[in-house]
C-alpha cells in the first residue's frame, strides 16, 4: 500500500497582498483610461449616426427621383394644408417609393400612425424625447417624429409659404426665392388635400449638385405626414421653419441636435448626393438669416 505524501503549503504573507494605495492607483489608472476613451467612443457613435442619417437621406432622394420619373419630372410639393386634420406633405407623396406600407386612408390625415411611419424619416441622432405626459405635446409620439424638411420657396407668407392653391407656382427667379419646397393651402378636393397639387419640374434647377433639396430640421412638431414644418426657410431664424432657432423655449431642437453631428447638418442635394456641412458652408454669398448658395436655385450666388 502506497503511502501518501503530504505537502505543507505556506500561507501568503501580509506583504504579498495589494495595499490600499496600490488599489487606489489601479482605480485611478482605470478612471483616466475611461476618461480618455469615452470622448473617442462618443465621437465614433456620432459619426456612425451621421453616416446612417446620410444613408437615409439618399434613400429619400431615390424616393423623390422615382416620384418625379412617374410624374413627368415634377417633384412633389412640400405640403398641402386644408385644416388640422387634412394635410399632405412631401413624405406622403413619396411614401410608396420609400417603403411605406400603410393603407391610403392614413396618408392625408396629417399624422401617419407610428405603425406606418417609415423609420428612415428620423435621423438616429434626433433623440429628443417626447413625453406622453406633456400636456401640450403629448400627442407627438416619439416613433412618428420626422427629422427632414424640404428647402422652401421662401420665407414670406402667402407668396412663398402656404400659397393659395389657386395661384400659380411662384417665380423662382425673383430675388429672395429659395428652393422648390412649395407649400399650398386651400379647400382641396372634396375637403381633402389635392393629391395632384402643383410642384416644380426637376429642370428648373440649373445646378443640381449645388442646390439643397432636403435639410435636417429636428422639431417637436415635425412628424410624418404633417404639413408643419415640412419645409425650411433657412439655417437660422426665429420660429419653427429654421434649422436653428435662438429662442430658449424654441420647439426647434436644432440648437441641441447640431452638436450631435459634430457641428454639422446633413443636406440632400438635387443630384441626390448627401453632404455633412457646417451651416456657414451652405449660404454662399448670403448670411445665415438671409441665405443664398445652396439654398437658392440661382447659379453662382
Amino acid at each position: 500500500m502506497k503511502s501518501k505524501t503530504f505537502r505543507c503549503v505556506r500561507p501568503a504573507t501580509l506583504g504579498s497582498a495589494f495595499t490600499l494605495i496600490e488599489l487606489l492607483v489601479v482605480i485611478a489608472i482605470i478612471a483616466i483610461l475611461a476618461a480618455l476613451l469615452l470622448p473617442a467612443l462618443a465621437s465614433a457613435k456620432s459619426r456612425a449616426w451621421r453616416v446612417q442619417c446620410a444613408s437615409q437621406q439618399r434613400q429619400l432622394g431615390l424616393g423623390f427621383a422615382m416620384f418625379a420619373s412617374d410624374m413627368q419630372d415634377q417633384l412633389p410639393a412640400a405640403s398641402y394644408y386644408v385644416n388640422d386634420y387634412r394635410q399632405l406633405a412631401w413624405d406622403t407623396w413619396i411614401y410608396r417609393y420609400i417603403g411605406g406600407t400603410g393603407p391610403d386612408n392614413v396618408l392625408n390625415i396629417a399624422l401617419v400612425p407610428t405603425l406606418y411611419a417609415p423609420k428612415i424619416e428620423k435621423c438616429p441622432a434626433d433623440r429628443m424625447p417626447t413625453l406622453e405626459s406633456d400636456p401640450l405635446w403629448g400627442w407627438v409620439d416619439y416613433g412618428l417624429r420626422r427629422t427632414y424638411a424640404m428647402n422652401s420657396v421662401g420665407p414670406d407668407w402667402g407668396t412663398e409659404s402656404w400659397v393659395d392653391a389657386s395661384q400659380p407656382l411662384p417665380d423662382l427667379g425673383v430675388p429672395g426665392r429659395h428652393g422648390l419646397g412649395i407649400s399650398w393651402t386651400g379647400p382641396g378636393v372634396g375637403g381633402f388635400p389635392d393629391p395632384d397639387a402643383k410642384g416644380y419640374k426637376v429642370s428648373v434647377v440649373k445646378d443640381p449638385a449645388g442646390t439643397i433639396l432636403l435639410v435636417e430640421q429636428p422639431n417637436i412638431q415635425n412628424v410624418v405626414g404633417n404639413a408643419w414644418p415640412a419645409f425650411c426657410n433657412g439655417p437660422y431664424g426665429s420660429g419653427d421653419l429654421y434649422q436653428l432657432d435662438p429662442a430658449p423655449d424654441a420647439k426647434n431642437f436644432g440648437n441641441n441636435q447640431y452638436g450631435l453631428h459634430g457641428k454639422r447638418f446633413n443636406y440632400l442635394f438635387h443630384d441626390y448626393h448627401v453632404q455633412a456641412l457646417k451651416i456657414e458652408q451652405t449660404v454662399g454669398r448670403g448670411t445665415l438669416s438671409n441665405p443664398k448658395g445652396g439654398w437658392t436655385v440661382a447659379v453662382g450666388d
Side-chain angles (χ1 to χ4, degrees):
M1 186 174 175
K2 279 189 174 181
S3 61
K4 294 182 180 179
T5 303
F6 294 92
R7 294 179 60 198
C8 182
V9 180
R10 179 181 170 188
T13 62
L14 184 62
S16 65
F18 283 111
T19 66
L20 178 60
I21 297 297
E22 289 171 330
L23 285 172
L24 291 175
V25 169
V26 170
I27 292 171
I29 291 172
I30 293 172
I32 292 170
L33 290 174
L36 292 173
L37 287 173
L38 284 176
L41 291 173
S43 177
K45 182 167 67 173
S46 176
R47 284 196 300 272
W49 283 345
R50 194 166 71 201
V51 168
Q52 183 180 339
C53 176
S55 175
Q56 293 177 184
Q57 281 185 302
R58 279 189 286 271
Q59 293 178 65
L60 293 171
L62 289 175
F64 278 101
M66 289 187 287
F67 178 93
S69 178
D70 285 345
M71 298 296 292
Q72 292 76 50
D73 287 335
Q74 176 183 299
L75 288 170
S79 68
Y80 194 115
Y81 177 90
V82 174
N83 56 46
D84 288 349
Y85 307 99
R86 297 286 183 263
Q87 302 174 28
L88 281 177
W90 60 266
D91 56 333
T92 41
W93 267 294
I94 68 170
Y95 184 77
R96 299 298 179 197
Y97 299 99
I98 58 175
T101 60
D104 289 344
N105 64 358
V106 304
L107 299 184
N108 56 14
I109 57 174
L111 293 176
V112 174
T114 300
L115 174 64
Y116 301 119
K119 301 299 186 291
I120 64 170
E121 292 197 51
K122 183 155 71 70
C123 170
D126 187 357
R127 306 177 73 83
M128 295 299 172
T130 301
L131 301 178
E132 293 182 7
S133 59
D134 189 314
L136 185 58
W137 303 110
W139 59 272
V140 182
D141 183 89
Y142 179 75
L144 61 81
R145 282 276 314 287
R146 176 183 64 197
T147 304
Y148 310 110
M150 284 187 76
N151 178 12
S152 75
V153 174
D156 294 331
W157 294 103
T159 59
E160 295 156 357
S161 299
W162 277 11
V163 180
D164 189 291
S166 64
Q167 301 299 310
L169 283 164
D171 180 4
L172 294 176
V174 174
R177 296 279 162 84
H178 292 179
L180 272 58
I182 180 65
S183 295
W184 301 111
T185 184
V189 178
F192 286 86
D194 183 1
D196 299 316
K198 298 182 291 290
Y200 288 96
K201 294 280 189 179
V202 173
S203 58
V204 303
V205 179
K206 305 305 180 185
D207 180 16
T211 306
I212 295 168
L213 169 58
L214 207 64
V215 310
E216 288 186 282
Q217 184 170 275
N219 184 296
I220 196 170
Q221 301 170 101
N222 197 359
V223 295
V224 175
N226 204 277
W228 182 277
F231 51 101
C232 181
N233 285 342
Y236 188 88
S238 178
D240 299 322
L241 302 177
Y242 296 89
Q243 293 182 287
L244 301 181
D245 178 357
D249 59 346
K251 296 183 287 296
N252 193 321
F253 295 145
N255 299 25
N256 310 82
Q257 298 299 106
Y258 193 42
L260 295 183
H261 272 344
K263 298 300 180 184
R264 288 169 173 80
F265 282 123
N266 277 335
Y267 297 87
L268 172 70
F269 288 79
H270 274 273
D271 67 346
Y272 307 117
H273 85 277
V274 176
Q275 272 186 278
L277 298 169
K278 295 181 178 181
I279 53 177
E280 293 83 3
Q281 295 175 288
T282 68
V283 299
R285 294 187 297 174
T287 64
L288 293 180
S289 56
N290 184 25
K292 295 182 180 179
W295 291 89
T296 71
V297 297
V299 178
D301 62 359

